[in-house]
Amino acid sequence: MENKKITVIVPCYNVEKYVKKSIESILNQTYKNIEIIAIDDCSTDKTFEIIKEIEKENEGKVKVIKNEKNLGLAATRNKGIMEAKTDFIGFIDSDDYIDENYYEALIDEIEKENAEVAITNILIVDEDGKEMSELQKGINPNQEDIKLASIDNGLCASACNKLFKKSLIEDYLFLEGKINEDVASVIPSVLHAKKIAYTDKCKYYYVQRNTSIQNSDFSIKRFDMFDSVKVCLDRINDLKDFEKYKDIIICHQVFMLYIYKIIKIKGFFKRQKFLKLFIKKNKMLGIENSKKGRECIGAFPRLEKLRVLGSVKLLRTKSPLLINLYLVCVNIMGKVIPVLRKIKSKLKTKNVIRKNLTIDDLEKVARKQARLKDKDIKVSVVVPNYNYEDYLVQRIYSILNQKEKINELIILDDCSKDNSRELIDNITEKLSKYIDIKKVYNTENSGIAFKQWKKGFDLAKGDYVWIAEADDYCDKRLLKVLLNKIRKNNNIRIAYVDTAFINKQGEIFLKTIKPEIDLRKTGHWDKDFINNGKNELDNYTFLNCTIANVSSCIIKKDNYDDIFEKATKYRQAGDWVVYANVMIKGDIAYVNKPYNYYRVHGENITSNMKKQKHLEEIKSIHKEIGDLIEIKDWHKEEFQKRYDFLKRVWGLEKENNI
């Protein structure tokens, strides 16, 4: 394998604090057929002295060059390309570092796929190495067109998370004298490659410095992006899918610059200055026509979407003043609306459920439900009940009050000891003339919820099944928002909403479950999403159950007998096993609104959990998840952090690390 030699180019400028760690991470590679060309761009600190010392200690492995004058990153990289005499070229920024198997994994993928470019992931860390964001994908391996996938992300122009065939990158040198110089080089190189490959077996660690260009105040230099994109498009206009590539490139490189930087500049006159320049530059690209750009803001909060869409449409007027005034108005709305909501919240009752409901009230909503037209997606609602007589009428009211058609309502009773069955008999008799409703009574208690879930799926005739637990409640919009997601993507296996917690009286005491499920503080649940199930499990649900309550989700109808059987082994965390095994079969959707209300009272299993047993279940489920995804070292680290935290807060004795 090591017959292919790699040159790693490391441009250096005033990085005395970082450069040694950066170059040492290259020297310590498991792949040994590497030469390093470190080029100092007239640093004013001790960078040059440090890399010269590294060269002396690693004779034959490191070559140091010093520019006669400061040339900038693009020219320095180009100099390294001309100096290299090897088959493949990689680029490492001198304040970043890489995994020790980085180049072995990349070259292995190149050989296996007979590719000209290999791409991997970037992990954003702070100066102390602490992770600042979730793992950033260098490519979406689930997208069929791998070239399209390679540019359809915010990292597509990075030279550092890639390994290039030298003859390829030589044809598209970096754009000298510009920032964002890599857009005009990296993207054309990737798109002109005969074949590209992706691996997630290594990571590039991108160190976010407070003094870096990306973190500096917005300046006119940022408009270099237009020149870089223009050159990039000129270099790829011979490709068959040029128009498709063009839209995606404009979205990620210029549209995002506009919505995240330009319109968020503070100060009316400062923003006016940059809007004027942006409009002038935008004539060559026309970001207001970007279909991909509009898609990207689809999941934004309503006010943010209003700010972006309105100002983008106004770009056609070519009037910076009009756009600026519009932004001022939206910004004022952004300050006024939360105040009005706060006032409204105080005026509203804390109780979110309808009180004092009767079977006659159920009949009224059943009539309304019967008048709804049959839709393209049929939903079966299964209500498992055990001793929840006090909540049944409220629960069924919240189901029948939905804005979407209910295909059927199945009430399962697991040998309740209260008067549930008498109530269910009355409800069924009263509602049967309006809706398809059936009751199913167990002759003996099943002892575990998942047997009832399985029974519900066996009986259900709909396309999706909603297990609506008898003591919970929901907003009338729950089903509508979930089905709207599924109508956009028929591969969705699970769609769920955020959950709020209510007490016995129906009063909210926890407005959202997001802080409880987002253990790694990724911000993943801060907006709606549709995600590939394997990706969701790999990056989020591997650590903890991220669906708070089965009542919050609808699940695609299928035979899940083997999954329910697995879940019956667990008393506290079996639902996690169900969700993980179902989501990996397709996609998963989430709505960032607490339309589900989970009732907490003394009878809930979670209130009486045995802590030691629960911890053992979590460990066991982590092992089961290893059968669904590849467990990597960073997963194991997160597992151990979770165990240590739970043992500490639950007061359990310290156990051996895994």
Side-chain angles (χ1 to χ4, degrees):
M1 183 178 74
E2 295 203 0
N3 60 327
K4 289 183 170 63
K5 190 166 186 179
I6 298 170
T7 296
V8 182
I9 297 167
V10 186
C12 307
Y13 179 71
N14 287 354
V15 282
E16 61 181 3
K17 186 178 173 183
Y18 313 96
V19 70
K20 187 174 182 182
K21 180 177 180 178
S22 179
I23 294 179
E24 282 181 350
S25 75
I26 308 169
L27 288 168
N28 293 332
Q29 290 292 294
T30 53
Y31 190 85
K32 299 302 180 186
N33 198 4
I34 293 175
E35 69 167 5
I36 301 170
I37 299 178
I39 307 174
D40 182 71
D41 196 22
C42 298
S43 296
T44 57
D45 62 2
K46 294 180 180 178
T47 296
F48 182 67
E49 289 87 335
I50 293 169
I51 60 176
K52 282 299 287 182
E53 185 64 29
I54 294 172
E55 180 188 39
K56 186 178 175 183
E57 292 171 358
N58 297 274
E59 190 175 349
K61 295 180 181 178
V62 180
K63 179 179 181 180
V64 172
I65 299 171
K66 186 176 179 66
N67 291 339
E68 292 180 6
K69 62 177 182 177
N70 182 268
L71 299 176
L73 182 58
T76 301
R77 280 178 172 170
N78 289 341
K79 190 172 187 176
I81 293 169
M82 296 300 104
E83 194 71 27
K85 303 290 187 282
T86 56
D87 303 307
F88 287 88
I89 288 183
F91 300 91
I92 303 294
D93 284 347
S94 50
D95 48 356
D96 300 335
Y97 55 95
I98 53 178
D99 279 336
E100 63 177 10
N101 70 325
Y102 186 79
Y103 283 112
E104 183 178 355
L106 291 176
I107 203 74
D108 184 49
E109 208 61 36
I110 279 175
E111 291 204 330
K112 188 168 68 177
E113 298 291 334
N114 193 24
E116 294 185 315
V117 179
I119 303 172
T120 190
N121 297 328
I122 289 179
L123 191 67
I124 301 174
V125 296
D126 65 15
E127 296 187 35
D128 298 319
K130 184 179 177 183
E131 188 178 329
M132 292 181 67
S133 74
E134 65 188 86
L135 190 67
Q136 303 291 311
K137 290 291 180 187
I139 195 170
N140 178 3
N142 299 305
Q143 194 165 326
E144 271 185 42
D145 186 337
I146 197 163
K147 283 199 175 180
L148 207 62
S150 70
I151 63 165
D152 195 5
N153 62 82
L155 305 172
C156 61
S158 172
C160 297
N161 68 325
K162 300 174 179 73
L163 181 62
F164 301 88
K165 191 171 183 180
K166 181 174 185 282
S167 58
L168 189 65
I169 198 79
E170 275 180 324
D171 288 339
Y172 306 103
L173 294 175
F174 292 92
L175 196 59
E176 298 186 12
K178 306 287 182 183
I179 64 171
N180 305 113
E181 74 297 329
D182 39 11
V183 172
S185 176
V186 173
I187 296 176
S189 297
V190 169
L191 292 179
H192 280 98
K194 290 175 184 173
K195 193 168 186 183
I196 62 174
Y198 163 78
T199 179
D200 61 357
K201 293 177 181 174
C202 59
K203 290 190 290 291
Y204 181 93
Y205 295 89
Y206 170 50
V207 179
Q208 193 91 69
R209 288 194 286 150
N210 292 332
T211 55
S212 70
I213 291 172
Q214 295 300 323
N215 285 330
S216 58
D217 286 340
F218 193 85
S219 70
I220 287 175
K221 277 298 282 180
R222 289 290 183 99
F223 288 95
D224 285 355
M225 180 60 80
F226 282 92
D227 301 313
S228 300
V229 170
K230 179 68 168 60
V231 173
C232 172
L233 296 178
D234 288 343
R235 287 175 170 181
I236 66 166
N237 65 9
D238 59 321
L239 297 175
K240 183 180 71 173
D241 291 322
F242 171 71
E243 289 300 329
K244 197 183 293 184
Y245 295 149
K246 177 183 176 183
D247 188 33
I248 291 171
I249 292 164
I250 288 173
C251 168
H252 287 292
Q253 305 305 322
V254 187
F255 193 94
M256 293 303 170
L257 173 73
Y258 179 74
I259 68 172
Y260 285 117
K261 295 293 181 182
I262 302 292
I263 67 175
K264 290 189 176 179
I265 292 171
K266 292 182 179 177
F268 184 89
F269 295 106
K270 186 177 180 182
R271 189 166 59 238
Q272 180 79 359
K273 169 188 167 185
F274 286 113
L275 277 169
K276 187 175 182 180
L277 185 54
F278 187 90
I279 289 168
K280 183 179 178 183
K281 291 275 189 181
N282 184 51
K283 287 178 183 178
M284 69 172 81
L285 298 177
I287 73 159
E288 64 273 18
N289 301 316
S290 173
K291 292 179 184 177
K292 182 67 181 177
R294 289 194 293 276
E295 280 178 28
C296 288
I297 62 170
F300 278 25
R302 190 177 299 173
L303 193 67
E304 187 64 19
K305 196 185 293 185
L306 184 66
R307 177 185 286 111
V308 175
L309 282 177
S311 66
V312 167
K313 286 180 181 178
L314 287 170
L315 283 171
R316 292 190 175 92
T317 68
K318 297 183 174 54
S319 169
L321 180 60
L322 189 60
I323 298 169
N324 211 353
L325 290 171
Y326 174 80
L327 291 170
V328 169
C329 292
V330 177
N331 289 339
I332 291 170
M333 284 171 61
K335 291 176 181 177
V336 171
I337 288 174
V339 175
L340 294 175
R341 281 179 180 161
K342 198 170 181 181
I343 294 169
K344 184 181 177 183
S345 178
K346 286 183 178 179
L347 293 173
K348 280 178 72 176
T349 175
K350 289 182 182 178
N351 201 296
V352 295
I353 65 173
R354 284 284 302 272
K355 281 191 170 184
N356 304 317
L357 289 166
T358 65
I359 295 180
D360 289 337
D361 293 310
L362 294 186
E363 188 177 15
K364 288 177 186 176
V365 285
R367 282 199 209 101
K368 288 182 183 178
Q369 179 61 224
R371 289 196 293 269
L372 292 176
K373 292 181 181 178
D374 285 326
K375 294 291 183 72
D376 48 339
I377 303 169
K378 297 187 183 303
V379 178
S380 297
V381 186
V382 177
V383 181
N385 176 70
Y386 179 68
N387 291 344
Y388 288 139
E389 172 195 5
D390 292 344
Y391 310 114
L392 259 173
V393 173
Q394 291 176 344
R395 180 25 138 185
I396 294 173
Y397 181 90
S398 73
I399 293 166
L400 298 178
N401 199 35
Q402 292 297 301
K403 292 187 173 185
E404 289 276 356
K405 180 81 171 178
I406 304 296
N407 189 52
E408 61 180 340
L409 178 60
I410 304 168
I411 306 174
L412 307 178
D413 187 75
D414 202 13
C415 296
S416 294
K417 295 175 183 177
D418 61 6
N419 294 318
S420 288
R421 289 196 174 183
E422 184 181 343
L423 178 59
I424 294 168
D425 287 341
N426 292 335
I427 290 171
T428 306
E429 182 182 357
K430 197 81 168 177
L431 304 187
S432 58
K433 54 183 144 180
Y434 305 110
I435 61 170
D436 184 352
I437 182 171
K438 61 174 68 73
K439 58 187 179 182
V440 181
Y441 295 158
N442 285 352
T443 54
E444 60 181 44
N445 185 268
S446 66
I448 192 159
F450 308 112
K451 291 183 179 179
Q452 292 293 82
W453 292 16
K454 177 185 178 303
K455 182 177 284 188
F457 269 83
D458 289 343
L459 293 167
K461 297 178 292 190
D463 303 308
Y464 282 80
V465 179
W466 177 16
I467 305 286
E469 293 185 320
D471 55 334
D472 295 333
Y473 195 77
C474 63
D475 187 282
K476 61 186 178 183
R477 293 165 289 183
L478 181 143
L479 209 50
K480 187 175 184 65
V481 297
L482 294 181
L483 291 178
N484 283 344
K485 292 288 181 189
I486 292 166
R487 288 181 180 115
K488 293 178 183 176
N489 180 342
N490 61 12
N491 194 39
I492 289 171
R493 284 278 170 167
I494 302 179
Y496 70 111
V497 297
D498 187 16
T499 290
F501 280 39
I502 58 176
N503 59 20
K504 282 185 178 183
Q505 292 72 40
E507 297 167 338
I508 294 178
F509 65 87
L510 186 69
K511 292 182 179 179
T512 173
I513 195 63
K514 286 185 288 189
E516 311 302 319
I517 60 173
D518 192 8
L519 300 180
R520 295 167 56 230
K521 296 181 172 53
T522 62
H524 181 57
W525 290 271
D526 291 344
K527 60 183 179 181
D528 292 9
F529 64 75
I530 295 176
N531 194 14
N532 171 263
K534 184 178 184 301
N535 182 279
E536 187 75 11
L537 189 57
D538 196 25
N539 288 302
Y540 308 103
T541 309
F542 74 92
L543 183 61
N544 58 294
C545 186
T546 54
I547 300 178
N549 170 230
V550 70
S551 297
S552 70
C553 67
I554 59 175
I555 302 173
K556 195 166 191 173
K557 175 79 162 71
D558 206 340
N559 184 341
Y560 301 123
D561 288 358
D562 57 333
I563 296 174
F564 292 133
E565 184 62 33
K566 281 183 186 178
T568 57
K569 295 190 301 183
Y570 302 97
R571 292 290 168 177
Q572 277 99 30
D575 53 344
W576 182 8
V577 173
V578 173
Y579 306 140
N581 280 274
V582 172
M583 74 173 65
I584 205 161
K585 293 175 179 287
D587 295 336
I588 184 165
Y590 166 75
V591 174
N592 177 32
K593 292 284 184 183
Y595 291 136
N596 178 58
Y597 302 110
Y598 172 62
R599 196 187 304 263
V600 176
H601 43 76
E603 290 76 31
N604 285 100
I605 291 173
T606 48
S607 300
N608 300 317
M609 73 174 72
K610 293 180 180 178
K611 295 169 184 175
Q612 183 64 48
K613 178 68 177 171
H614 196 176
L615 180 59
E616 289 168 7
E617 286 195 5
I618 290 170
K619 290 182 177 181
S620 178
I621 292 170
H622 283 158
K623 288 177 183 175
E624 288 208 24
I625 285 172
D627 296 332
L628 302 175
I629 61 170
E630 180 190 352
I631 299 296
K632 307 180 188 71
D633 288 342
W634 72 274
H635 287 122
K636 292 178 182 177
E637 289 172 11
E638 293 297 334
F639 289 159
Q640 192 58 54
K641 285 182 199 172
R642 185 66 179 152
Y643 304 154
D644 292 343
F645 171 79
L646 291 175
K647 283 186 282 188
R648 186 170 66 251
V649 298
W650 286 349
L652 301 175
E653 61 183 15
K654 195 167 181 64
E655 299 176 9
N656 292 329
N657 290 355
I658 57 169

